[in-house]
């Protein structure tokens, strides 16, 4: 029982997914360059990945366009410097607003 409990206590920054963040961003950048239409149809999911992979403190200080310029090719993605929020609109009418203070998806709605 104690051994099972220890295996559940892991440090998030030591997971494979966390350590792979730079490689994930690089591959997503390649997808945006080569298959922008396909990424556009999954833009909210792509933004979930981007925001997971970026350093939130640096993102708050520098902005989304500076931290991940590939995303600026989409007109349906915007970053508000004063409120530190990212808004993303999808083709299907879905809207996601991300609060960078918490790093969480604040609102996800269908318009």
């Amino acid at each position: 029982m104690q051994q099972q409990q220890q295996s559940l206590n892991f440090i998030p920054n030591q997971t494979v997914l966390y350590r792979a963040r730079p490689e994930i961003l690089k591959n997503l950048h390649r997808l945006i360059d080569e298959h922008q239409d396909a990424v556009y149809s999954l833009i909210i999911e792509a933004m979930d990945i981007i925001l997971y992979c970026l350093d939130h403190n640096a993102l708050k200080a520098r902005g989304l366009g500076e931290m991940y310029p590939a995303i600026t090719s989409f007109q349906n993605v915007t970053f508000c410097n004063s409120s530190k929020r990212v808004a993303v609109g999808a083709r299907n009418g879905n809207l996601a607003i991300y609060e960078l203070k918490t790093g969480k998806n604040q609102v996800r709605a269908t318009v």
Side-chain angles (χ1 to χ4, degrees), residues 64-76:
L64 184 62
E66 189 177 335
M67 290 289 297
Y68 199 70
I71 202 66
T72 60
S73 62
F74 297 100
Q75 294 182 356
N76 55 328

Side-chain angles (χ1 to χ4, degrees), residues 15-27 52-53:
T15 65
V16 173
L17 183 60
Y18 185 86
R19 290 190 313 262
R21 292 179 314 155
E23 190 67 27
I24 292 167
L25 287 172
K26 185 173 117 181
N27 287 322
Y52 173 81
C53 292

Side-chain angles (χ1 to χ4, degrees), residues 18 21 25 50-63 67 100:
Y18 185 86
R21 292 179 314 155
L25 287 172
I50 292 166
L51 292 178
Y52 173 81
C53 292
L54 291 175
D55 176 354
H56 286 253
N57 291 325
L59 185 61
K60 285 186 258 184
R62 295 170 51 197
M67 290 289 297
L100 297 184

